[in-house]
Structures are given as structure tokens and as C-alpha cells.
Amino acid sequence: MKKILLVGGVDNSGGAGILADKETLVTLEAGASVAITAITAQTDEKFHDSHAIPAGILKMQLSSIDSNEIGAIKIGMLPNSETVEVLAEFLDQHRYLPSVLDPVFSSSSGGELCSSHGIECLTSLLLPLVSLLTPNLSEAQHLADLPSADSQDLSSLSNACLKLGAKAVLVKGGHLPGNLCLDLLAQHGKKEVVFERPRIPDGVQVRGTGCRLATAIAWYLSQKKDFPEAVKHAGDFVHAYIQRQSCSGKAFEK
Ligand code: PLP
């Protein structure tokens, strides 16, 4: 069985980032190869600091991986333009592999995860190379740069993001008000697909849900599911995870 290549940052609290990605793959009984882009020091409440891994070391991690063993790529934190450039070169050489980019710009613990020049490079270099982009509402608003009247509308946001180059865009609407959480998948030349799930009270407080969703989607894509199927299965997986966290009270004890 092929592995998922996880590219991203370490959150030393374990709530998000590549440790959460790896945990997700263990639950799905899937294997992982890892390339670390940054080390962060944070708790659920406070972001202390972040150290970007030098581009040369990232490049070496990627070149040490046997790409014949990889079935899909999941990309999370990319701290700066240098790491984005390394990734763009790697994706360009591996266009045959499905890739999921979760564009993490900031952490709910309060830290900046990507420099502003890094975000510009990610938009121009990386988006045209990825299969699926999975922004949350604020990340999609940042990337889409729409007039404010359209900036809460998932369809306008996902279509504006789609124009930036990815094959498909999933805008996650969990931060919109309402009893339902809506996510919208847009693909070039295909009908939009809306995924609807009941809101779990305080579910938005659970950390690392975006990381886990993108990782699970990458896994289902590696299993030859199409975008709607992969997003549906991964969404169900993360919904069950949030429910478990919520029942255990773990996410909310402060
Ligand atoms: N820290 C790292 C290293 C991450 O990769 C991410 C998300 O991908 C976060 C923090 C943000 O996590 P959250 O906003 O879920 O707290």
C-alpha cells in the first residue's frame, strides 16, 4: 500500500500540524513519509515562536524519499517563500501524484505560520500545481480578494480561488454562523458539491481539524476516490473525530 507524503510544520503541543497528520494516518491504517518545514513552540492558548527549516534541508528530506512509495501528497505549513519554492519544484517533478494543499496562514493559538511574501509565492507558484486547495473561510477570503459583499459566499469564494490554478477547491465554512456546517467543493467544468453536517457545539475550538481533513482527503485520493468521494469520506472522519473530542471534553478543558 502506498504512503502519504506529509509536508508541514511541527506543532510541539501535538494539537495540529504534522503530528496531527501522522495521527490521522495511523487511525486510517495508512503509512507516512515526512518532510518538516518548520518547528513551532505553542500551546493551545499561546503561540511562542517558530523556526523555519532551511530550504536546503527541506530539499534533502524530499530527495531522500522514494517517490515510488508515495500515493499522494499533503502540504500544510510553509513558513516562507524559500520553502514554497522548494515545494513548487518538487510538485512540478511529481505532477502525476494527487496533492492537497491546506493553506495555513495563522494558528488559532495566535501565531503567523506563513510570511506575507510566502503567501504571495504560494499563490503564484504552488496553486497552479496542486490538485486540491482546502482553505477555511478567512484563508479563502485572503486568497480570493473579493468585494466584501461576496466574501461570505462559499460559491463566490471557491470559484475565485479556483481561478488561481488548483484543479479543485474546497472552502470550509465551519466558521459561518448557523446550526449546519457547510463546505463547498468547486471543480473546473463540474457542478459544485455542498457537504452539510450538523454543527457540534464548540466544535470550532477543536484544534488541527483542517490538518486532519486535508490528510484524510489525500489518503482517499491515493485510494483512487474522486474529489467528491474523497472529501465526503474525509469529512465524515473528521466529524467523528470532533465528536469524540467533544464527548471526552478534551478540546475544551482550559
Ligand atoms: N501549527 C502548525 C504547525 C500547523 O500546521 C497548523 C495548522 O496546519 C496550526 C498550528 C494551526 O492549527 P489550528 O489553527 O487548528 O490551531
Side-chain angles (χ1 to χ4, degrees), residues 9-11 16-17 40 42 77 104 106-108 113 207-208 211:
V10 175
D11 163 4
T40 67
Q42 54 183 309
M77 178 180 178
V104 283
S106 61
S107 161
S108 55
L113 298 180
R207 296 199 54 220
C211 305

Side-chain angles (χ1 to χ4, degrees), residues 7-13 15-19 21 37-40 42-44 47 50 74-78 102-111 113 136 139 204-212:
V7 181
V10 175
D11 163 4
N12 75 312
S13 75
I18 215 148
L19 296 174
D21 297 338
T37 58
I39 314 268
T40 67
Q42 54 183 309
T43 63
D44 290 351
F47 192 90
S50 167
K74 185 265 168 163
I75 305 156
M77 178 180 178
L78 297 172
D102 185 26
V104 283
F105 301 153
S106 61
S107 161
S108 55
S109 56
L113 298 180
N136 63 21
E139 292 153 354
V204 288
Q205 285 184 40
V206 178
R207 296 199 54 220
T209 53
C211 305
R212 290 169 205 274

Side-chain angles (χ1 to χ4, degrees), residues 140-157:
Q141 286 165 342
H142 189 107
L143 291 167
D145 198 18
L146 287 176
S148 57
D150 294 333
S151 69
Q152 301 285 314
D153 178 57
L154 295 182
S155 177
S156 309
L157 281 171

Side-chain angles (χ1 to χ4, degrees), residues 202-243:
D202 290 330
V204 288
Q205 285 184 40
V206 178
R207 296 199 54 220
T209 53
C211 305
R212 290 169 205 274
L213 179 72
T215 299
I217 295 173
W219 163 245
Y220 286 113
L221 290 176
S222 79
Q223 298 301 296
K224 311 293 177 218
K225 306 277 186 223
D226 61 16
F227 287 123
E229 273 182 306
V231 169
K232 157 92 177 65
H233 288 302
D236 290 345
F237 173 87
V238 172
H239 187 78
Y241 171 77
I242 297 171
Q243 243 161 0

